Amino acid sequence: MAQDTGHGENGDRDRSPEEAALSERLGNLDQRLSEFRGRHVKTEQPAGDGEDRAARASAMALGFRLSSELVAGVVVGAGIGWGFDRLLSTSPFGFIVFLLLGFVAGVVNVVRTAGAGQNGRGGS
């Protein structure tokens, strides 16, 4: 921040005592803040393990999400296939077909969630 208030060439001489006191308080505050920030950065640098733990926890959460999406696809497919087999008496063909469809749907969901499916799609 500039000390000159723009009142003339001699900014300090044209200032009122209130402005001078305010400017002095502002300078003291700026100095204290810079000291505080310096201490704050020094105390945070050794504690970098917290960021590593947060990154690991986020990666673990993503892993659980991906695995649960795959398992859910397989279970839902198997359930629908079992229901069709019971309803239409086509055992085990409906179960096998829908189990495979559920597996494919689970894999597609995992790929979509992981973001690998968006790289090679072109413009669609």
Side-chain angles (χ1 to χ4, degrees), residues 40-64:
H40 188 65
V41 169
K42 288 178 186 175
T43 57
E44 278 192 359
Q45 286 177 353
D49 296 333
E51 293 175 5
D52 293 340
R53 277 189 242 146
R56 272 186 268 146
S58 177
M60 187 176 285
L62 181 63
F64 278 126

Side-chain angles (χ1 to χ4, degrees), residues 107-119:
V107 169
V108 168
N109 280 338
V110 167
V111 169
R112 186 182 308 145
T113 302
Q118 296 178 4
N119 292 338

Side-chain angles (χ1 to χ4, degrees), residues 69-84:
E69 285 184 5
L70 180 64
V71 169
V74 172
V75 168
V76 168
I80 291 173
W82 179 79
F84 271 106

Side-chain angles (χ1 to χ4, degrees), residues 23-110:
S23 177
E24 184 180 340
R25 285 184 14 213
L26 185 61
N28 289 339
L29 179 62
D30 187 39
Q31 181 182 1
R32 288 191 326 210
L33 279 173
S34 64
E35 290 173 1
F36 177 74
R37 287 181 185 142
R39 282 184 293 178
H40 188 65
V41 169
K42 288 178 186 175
T43 57
E44 278 192 359
Q45 286 177 353
D49 296 333
E51 293 175 5
D52 293 340
R53 277 189 242 146
R56 272 186 268 146
S58 177
M60 187 176 285
L62 181 63
F64 278 126
R65 179 178 174 194
L66 294 176
S67 63
S68 66
E69 285 184 5
L70 180 64
V71 169
V74 172
V75 168
V76 168
I80 291 173
W82 179 79
F84 271 106
D85 281 343
R86 297 276 295 180
L87 185 66
L88 303 175
S89 300
T90 57
S91 182
F93 299 111
F95 180 77
I96 293 171
V97 168
F98 279 98
L99 181 73
L100 292 174
L101 285 175
F103 177 75
V104 169
V107 169
V108 168
N109 280 338
V110 167

